[in-house]
Amino acid sequence: MKLISLTLTGNNEALIGDAIQSVVGWVDQCLVIDTGVTDRSLEVARRVAGDKYVERKFPWVRDFSAARNFALDAAHELGADWAINVDTDERIELRGEELRQLCEKAPEGVLMMFDGTHTYAKERVFRLPIRVRYTGPTHEAYEAFKVGAKTLEKARFVELPKTPEEYRRKFERDVDILSEFTGKHPDSARYFYYLGDSLQNLGRQEEAVVAYRRCAALRGWNEESAWACYRCAEALLQLKRPRDAIDECAAGLARHAGIAELAWLAGFAAWQLGDAEQCVFWALMAVPMGQYKGNFKLARRISFRNPAALYEGPYDLLRFALRRLGDAAGADEAERHYQQALAARTGK
């Protein structure tokens, strides 16, 4: 079985070496896709990969899907059976995962990995030749359900933090690309979500609310639609509109009743309104579908999540709200669960 790593790069000479270093010891080749390099990125990659280095050129066309599909096709042309994506600002940590053995035995077409914080999972390892293709110009989508997907238990991809200026440039780039794309594809729920995400990260909350609501209204995928309501509620709280945020959380639960974070965020909004009783009710709704004392796995969620809200968040609300309501014993019990849930999440 032949396993190849794939790395798309522009000018990333300070990052690409460590990205390739994280995989070079256990892949057969390191394929680097030059999307317009003018610095020393290719030289650094060649030095780290050694005789495993392979390079192909793909002129940048403002479309990450086109570049990723090109890379996967190139890996197949090189005779690879499987390919693993590692971007220049990422590092792959196997953490004891026997990846090659899993690939050899896997009936699925895609293996997914969680990020380093265990917040979301992404398609990471692909059986070749691919049977479906990436779509979308940024935050590109791969419909893994069409080929079968399995999420790895141990391995993680770790994304390096960006500076505020790097984030700003990224979000401005994405707003530019996605505004054009959603204008041409007004029924693309996924890209309205990521347009809202980029706008929100730029502090453009009003515009983000519009984009998130458009995503939710399109109802493309229950989890995504519900999470668009969650992010919309976050933006509304930033705009100091907690009542509207509660309504948005309720709308999200109508799309996916297993998203515990929606109930938690509604409780937080109720607390901001000074309504301790409603805060308690919402917090108690969040517990059964959480990860501390709840049935999180029943929701069969794939991607979006807020770990703190799934563990200690509801008890954080309860310890304050119950005390305000005069239930000292209940508040003390919530405090105990808060500390235990926090420890369960953080391992501390």
Side-chain angles (χ1 to χ4, degrees), residues 49-77:
D51 59 6
K52 294 183 178 182
Y53 182 79
V54 184
E55 179 186 316
R56 295 289 186 271
K57 294 188 181 299
F58 181 81
W60 181 241
V61 291
R62 284 167 52 93
D63 189 328
F64 281 96
S65 287
R68 293 208 186 277
N69 290 329
F70 173 85
L72 288 163
D73 289 342
H76 175 56
E77 290 171 3

Side-chain angles (χ1 to χ4, degrees), residues 33-346:
I33 307 299
D34 172 8
T35 63
V37 174
T38 59
D39 67 359
R40 297 178 55 253
S41 295
L42 302 178
E43 177 185 337
V44 171
R46 190 178 298 110
R47 174 173 50 80
V48 174
D51 59 6
K52 294 183 178 182
Y53 182 79
V54 184
E55 179 186 316
R56 295 289 186 271
K57 294 188 181 299
F58 181 81
W60 181 241
V61 291
R62 284 167 52 93
D63 189 328
F64 281 96
S65 287
R68 293 208 186 277
N69 290 329
F70 173 85
L72 288 163
D73 289 342
H76 175 56
E77 290 171 3
L78 290 168
D81 301 290
W82 288 83
I84 178 168
N85 280 341
V86 52
D87 291 343
T88 55
D89 61 349
E90 296 174 347
R91 311 293 179 255
I92 303 297
E93 297 180 358
L94 292 183
R95 303 185 182 187
E97 198 90 68
E98 297 293 340
L99 183 59
R100 188 175 290 271
Q101 292 180 20
L102 287 170
C103 288
E104 289 175 340
K105 298 177 181 178
E108 297 86 3
V110 173
L111 301 179
M112 302 180 71
M113 285 186 192
F114 276 109
D115 73 312
T117 64
H118 205 263
T119 302
Y120 66 100
K122 284 175 66 173
E123 300 83 5
R124 187 57 49 172
V125 192
F126 301 81
R127 183 190 298 278
L128 301 176
I130 54 172
R131 287 160 43 197
V132 299
R133 303 182 75 75
Y134 273 106
T135 58
T138 183
H139 295 285
E140 54 278 14
Y142 190 90
E143 295 180 321
F145 68 90
K146 292 183 176 179
V147 295
K150 175 183 178 180
T151 301
L152 300 176
E153 295 181 3
K154 301 175 184 177
R156 299 286 185 269
F157 71 92
V158 178
E159 188 171 0
L160 299 182
K162 294 179 173 62
T163 66
E165 177 59 23
E166 288 171 335
Y167 272 121
R168 185 188 64 77
R169 289 198 301 268
K170 176 185 182 299
F171 296 138
E172 288 178 345
R173 177 204 68 193
D174 286 353
V175 166
D176 178 41
I177 292 174
L178 292 172
S179 294
E180 178 183 354
F181 186 84
T182 53
K184 294 178 180 178
H185 303 86
D187 295 327
S188 297
R190 174 183 177 86
Y191 300 103
F192 277 105
Y193 174 85
Y194 284 111
L195 175 58
D197 176 77
S198 298
L199 289 165
Q200 187 174 18
N201 281 300
L202 289 170
R204 295 161 62 176
Q205 307 296 345
E206 293 280 8
E207 295 170 88
V209 166
V210 173
Y212 286 137
R213 283 179 169 167
R214 178 61 179 166
C215 171
L218 288 168
R219 292 178 178 262
W221 166 37
N222 284 349
E223 185 178 338
E224 178 185 71
S225 180
W227 200 253
C229 293
Y230 176 87
R231 295 296 304 278
C232 183
E234 284 186 326
L236 288 165
L237 286 172
Q238 288 288 321
L239 293 167
K240 303 188 184 305
R241 294 164 55 186
R243 291 190 188 279
D244 291 337
I246 292 173
D247 289 344
E248 205 67 41
C249 289
L253 286 167
R255 286 160 171 77
H256 192 316
I259 307 295
E261 297 97 323
L262 284 162
W264 166 80
L265 190 59
F268 179 71
W271 176 260
Q272 288 199 334
L273 283 170
D275 192 339
E277 186 177 63
Q278 288 295 308
C279 176
V280 168
F281 294 150
W282 282 115
L284 291 174
M285 286 178 60
V287 171
M289 293 306 293
Q291 285 188 269
Y292 170 58
K293 292 285 187 180
N295 296 304
F296 174 80
K297 290 184 179 179
L298 291 179
R300 299 173 63 187
R301 292 168 60 179
I302 298 172
S303 188
F304 312 101
R305 63 192 67 182
N306 179 338
L310 292 169
Y311 281 88
E312 73 272 14
Y315 302 102
D316 189 26
L317 295 174
L318 288 169
R319 60 181 180 156
F320 290 103
L322 288 171
R323 200 168 301 281
R324 178 172 290 180
L325 293 170
D327 184 355
D332 289 343
E333 179 72 0
E335 177 69 36
R336 183 175 67 83
H337 282 300
Y338 170 79
Q339 297 297 339
Q340 291 178 351
L342 178 62
R345 179 174 67 84
T346 63

